[in-house]
Amino acid sequence: MCGIVGFTGKTKAAGFLLEGLERLEYRGYDSAGIAVLDGGKIQIEKTTERIKNLIDKTDNGEKINGTIGIGHTRWATHGAPSFANAHPHISADGRFAVVHNGIIENFVEIKQRLIAEYNVKFKSETDSEVIAHLIAAHMKNYSTLEDAVYAATLEMRGAYALVVVSSKDPNKIVAVRKDAPLIAGIGKGENFIASDIPAL
Ligand code: GLU
């Protein structure tokens, strides 16, 4: 189980996310990535190298606009360490981005259902990617991101922490944990989420 950070506020998110991920480097990881919401657009940057690579690519986050975002350091459990398997994972409609720590034990059956019912094309070998598509599927029946995420978690077995952003809901991040660590930092006009205290 590796690292998660999230930020929602009034200043650029990417810098905080990258610094938070660097502070979680001590846990080890095989790849990393961030997703930042800029208006109705989700911008994703990933690396199979060090966080420093993301910092250099984005000029310490300055090249990425947007005040809401999520970040992840991955320690692969399902699927090789690779660019495609690095988080964040995104739904087929491009609307939802997800970072996930832990394991979705029943991801194979969820994946088969999503393929059979919605013809979803998977882009990674991870258990985590099902979460993004599952939320997209549930969003058809619910009006809020929180409700769709909650409905998705009812189908998932395992220990996990996950954080979600939606391009249609550019003012919030939704976070869930079950038998895995995730902490929230409540600030003035800005809020934080992380899998471990050093990130905050
Ligand atoms: N099971 C997920 C994966 O292999 C998350 C691993 C983690 O906790 O970093 O992508």
Side-chain angles (χ1 to χ4, degrees), residues 6 9 21 36 43 51 64 74 77 83 96 132-134 141 146 160 177 185 191:
L21 290 180
V36 177
Q43 185 172 347
I51 306 294
I64 303 181
R74 177 175 188 238
T77 64
F83 196 84
F96 304 96
H133 301 300
L134 197 56
N141 301 320
E146 294 90 314
Y160 52 80
R177 75 177 193 95
N191 296 309

Side-chain angles (χ1 to χ4, degrees), residues 154-166:
L154 294 180
E155 285 191 58
M156 290 162 26
R157 280 202 316 270
Y160 52 80
L162 58 97
V163 188
V164 186
V165 289
S166 161

Side-chain angles (χ1 to χ4, degrees), residues 6 14 57 59 62 67 73 90 92 118 124 137 158 178 192 197 200:
K57 263 208 309 206
D59 190 15
E62 281 305 309
T67 62
T73 48
I90 195 149
Y118 302 101
S124 80
K178 178 171 169 278
F192 311 86
I197 289 166
L200 300 188

Side-chain angles (χ1 to χ4, degrees), residues 4-6 161 163 175 177 180-186 192-200:
I4 285 179
V5 291
V163 188
R177 75 177 193 95
L182 199 60
I183 51 173
I186 310 300
F192 311 86
I193 202 111
S195 55
D196 203 355
I197 289 166
L200 300 188

Side-chain angles (χ1 to χ4, degrees), residues 1-2 72-78 87 100-102 126-128:
M1 213 175 282
C2 227
H72 189 258
T73 48
R74 177 175 188 238
W75 193 302
T77 64
H78 293 70
H87 300 213
H100 161 234
N101 276 356
T126 64
D127 52 335
S128 312

Side-chain angles (χ1 to χ4, degrees), residues 5-9 13-14 16-17 34-37 66-71 163 165 173 193:
V5 291
F7 175 84
T8 168
F16 168 80
L17 297 174
I34 59 173
V36 177
L37 260 179
T67 62
I68 293 187
I70 55 181
V163 188
V165 289
I173 54 180
I193 202 111

Side-chain angles (χ1 to χ4, degrees), residues 16 39 58 61 69 80 86-87 95 119 123 138 153 181:
F16 168 80
T58 63
H87 300 213
R95 184 169 167 188
N119 196 23
K123 295 206 171 79
H138 279 292
T153 63

